[in-house]
Amino acid sequence: ILNVEQSPQSLHVQEGDSTNFTCSFPSSNFYALHWYRWETAKSPEALFVMTLNGDEKKKGRISATLNTKEGYSYLYIKGSQPEDSATYLCASFLAGSARQLTFGSGTQLTVLP
Amino acid sequence: SQTIHQWPATLVQPVGSPLSLECTVEGTSNPNLYWYRQAAGRGLQLLFYSVGIGQISSEVPQNLSASRPQDRQFILSSKKLLLSDSGFYLCAWSERQGLGSPLHFGNGTRLTVT
């Protein structure tokens, strides 16, 4: 993989459901993987920055895992709430560009009450 | 605590007019500074980043330019706007020390070129 890719592009879930989405990134010359939450009318907010293979981070009902060897990260939301509705962005550094944090197109999550 | 201010929030400019967007950061020293743009239906694209006063790196060839006249001030400019410059512009900062530092974003500027 040569770029940062996210799937699915959008997702609708019912309140209380658990969900997850994927970020794929180049596994060569890996530096760090970032997750951000971008709510409507607000600015993106950092959720996690992960640097080590096998890393697992958690913030409340949200957690993330990292596999740098195969180049993917999962973001999990347990018991989704309407306030979790947002676009979730991941970003990584492409090979040869240690300062250029490249973002995926995001997963737009809508949690229905 | 650190804060980032970006203005204006919205801007409507005719094609061929100049542009100046300003971003300032408070509560930190020697930050890395960034300008990102989100075009309609696309992800965030890095336009410029800066690791110090007067040090600007451009990631995408375009008719935009950036300047960093002071440690915590970052300005995005254009001499003549194009229709394709329309989009949502975000300023961000991060700590200097490493790639593990998260970005902290401003509230953004919605630019419409008519």
Side-chain angles (χ1 to χ4, degrees):
Chain A
I1 193 167
L2 301 178
N3 213 333
V4 180
E5 298 174 1
Q6 292 187 247
S7 63
Q9 186 175 359
S10 65
L11 191 57
H12 289 71
V13 301
Q14 290 294 136
E15 182 175 356
D17 287 351
S18 294
T19 186
N20 65 86
F21 15 97
T22 305
C23 173
S24 301
F25 54 87
S27 56
S28 59
N29 296 313
F30 174 81
Y31 296 111
L33 190 284
H34 294 220
W35 279 104
Y36 294 83
R37 175 170 58 200
W38 194 357
E39 297 178 65
T40 303
K42 295 186 178 181
S43 53
E45 173 192 5
L47 288 173
F48 307 111
V49 177
M50 309 171 79
T51 56
L52 299 175
N53 184 44
D55 221 358
E56 210 169 310
K57 296 211 172 182
K58 187 175 181 181
K59 183 184 287 189
R61 295 178 291 99
I62 303 177
S63 60
T65 60
L66 178 66
N67 183 321
T68 61
K69 295 184 178 180
E70 297 183 36
Y72 65 84
S73 174
Y74 294 133
L75 188 79
Y76 300 91
I77 302 179
K78 185 177 179 181
S80 303
Q81 299 297 308
E83 58 264 31
D84 295 328
S85 297
T87 296
Y88 290 82
L89 299 169
C90 72
S92 189
F93 297 88
L94 300 184
S97 186
R99 297 191 188 280
Q100 181 179 353
L101 192 59
T102 299
F103 281 81
S105 297
T107 293
Q108 186 174 11
L109 174 67
T110 303
V111 181
L112 305 169
Chain B
S1 64
Q2 303 93 350
T3 56
I4 179 169
H5 304 279
Q6 184 183 342
W7 67 93
T10 59
L11 194 57
V12 180
Q13 293 282 102
V15 168
S17 64
L19 172 74
S20 181
L21 303 182
E22 190 162 341
C23 173
T24 59
V25 180
E26 296 177 359
T28 187
S29 297
N30 303 315
N32 290 335
L33 296 173
Y34 309 84
W35 280 109
Y36 280 88
R37 175 173 65 194
Q38 184 188 39
R42 303 183 68 179
L44 288 177
Q45 180 186 36
L46 179 64
L47 301 176
F48 301 95
Y49 68 87
S50 171
V51 298
I53 295 174
Q55 300 179 60
I56 309 294
S57 295
S58 173
E59 294 297 324
V60 181
Q62 59 221 329
N63 69 320
L64 299 172
S65 62
S67 62
R68 184 170 177 173
Q70 300 180 45
D71 180 47
R72 290 169 290 173
Q73 184 185 25
F74 206 22
I75 298 171
L76 183 69
S77 304
S78 174
K79 292 182 178 178
K80 288 186 178 181
L81 284 168
L82 306 173
L83 285 174
S84 57
D85 292 323
S86 293
F88 190 66
Y89 290 80
L90 281 165
C91 179
W93 72 273
S94 70
E95 297 287 352
R96 179 66 63 83
Q97 66 263 25
L99 301 172
S101 299
L103 298 183
H104 305 277
F105 288 90
N107 288 330
T109 297
R110 174 76 58 192
L111 173 65
T112 303
V113 182
T114 60

